[in-house]
Amino acid sequence: MSKTTLSVRDYVAADCDATIAIFLAAIREVASRDYTPDEIEAWAQVEDRNAWATRRASRPTFVAEWEGVPIGFSDLEADGHLDMMFVHPAYQGVGAASLLFAKVEDEARKQGLGRIFTEASLTARPFFERRGFTVIARQSVEKRGQRLTNVRMEKYL
Ligand SMILES: CC(C)(COP(=O)(O)OP(=O)(O)OC[C@H]1O[C@@H](n2cnc3c(N)ncnc32)[C@H](O)[C@@H]1OP(=O)(O)O)[C@@H](O)C(=O)NCCC(=O)NCCS
């Protein structure tokens, strides 16, 4: 059966390792243009695979696929918080994040949420701005001894 080149589906437990790999690669190879090597090292860590799996399964999580292979993922928490938006470095710019965000927005509307909010990396900020988010504030967050700048953003639906 042929698969549409780019598609989005719900996360399943078997996606755990693929989503970890996408997360790590996206930070190390893409977000690294906006953060120092020490900041990247502090951010690109997944110490507890089980905790990751539990968190992914605890909320709607969506996986983007390219010809059936996972290349990105995003999620939506019950209060409208979008925690994760990561796309594999080899598949930047093919529309995966856009398709994932359309799915997240759909889900938020279905749930009757009035707002989606996130802490965007400096790398992802332009993406979220083009998707209708506005900046609430820049902030500095502590991760494993490093202080990383990100941007609190929101979109009213
Ligand atoms: C931010 C990120 C999720 C965007 O993912 P993506 O799948 O490449 O985004 P899309 O393909 O849907 O493109 C979104 C827009 O950015 C543009 N774009 C994305 N990558 C591009 C590239 N390499 N070259 C040119 N344009 C690019 C697209 O043209 C598109 O423009 P539009 O809004 O005018 O349509 C991705 O860059 C990423 O994983 N970054 C690193 C991890 C990170 O910081 N995540 C966010 C944590 S909050």
Side-chain angles (χ1 to χ4, degrees):
M1 196 180 78
S2 77
K3 297 192 189 254
T4 311
T5 309
L6 180 65
S7 56
V8 171
R9 60 166 174 76
D10 291 342
Y11 174 93
V12 293
D15 294 319
C16 180
D17 292 328
T19 53
I20 290 173
I22 291 164
F23 172 77
L24 297 177
I27 296 170
R28 289 177 180 148
E29 296 174 45
V30 182
S32 52
R33 64 178 179 238
D34 297 304
Y35 294 89
T36 67
D38 286 346
E39 290 169 340
I40 291 299
E41 181 60 26
W43 183 10
Q45 302 285 337
V46 177
E47 284 117 356
D48 185 340
R49 183 181 180 275
N50 289 335
W52 177 281
T54 303
R55 219 165 36 242
R56 287 302 99 233
S58 71
R59 64 196 65 167
T61 296
F62 305 107
V63 173
E65 290 187 329
W66 185 267
E67 293 175 350
V69 177
I71 60 161
F73 67 100
S74 187
D75 63 354
L76 180 70
E77 293 180 84
D79 59 357
H81 183 232
L82 187 164
D83 188 27
M84 297 265 176
M85 176 64 85
F86 292 91
V87 172
H88 192 279
Y91 296 89
Q92 297 285 306
V94 301
S98 301
L99 198 59
L100 283 164
F101 182 68
K103 186 78 182 176
V104 166
E105 198 170 1
D106 246 30
E107 177 67 26
R109 287 184 203 279
K110 252 187 242 165
Q111 291 184 21
L113 292 169
R115 183 178 86 121
I116 301 174
F117 61 101
T118 193
E119 294 82 41
S121 67
L122 298 172
T123 318
R125 173 184 170 162
F127 168 79
F128 285 111
E129 279 177 332
R130 282 198 295 274
R131 294 293 168 280
F133 281 73
T134 54
V135 172
I136 304 168
R138 267 169 85 99
Q139 62 182 12
S140 167
V141 294
E142 199 273 336
K143 266 191 221 293
R144 301 180 185 90
Q146 292 288 318
R147 296 215 64 93
L148 277 75
T149 299
N150 66 25
V151 188
R152 289 171 47 222
M153 303 182 78
E154 65 186 353
K155 177 175 182 174
Y156 282 90
L157 303 176

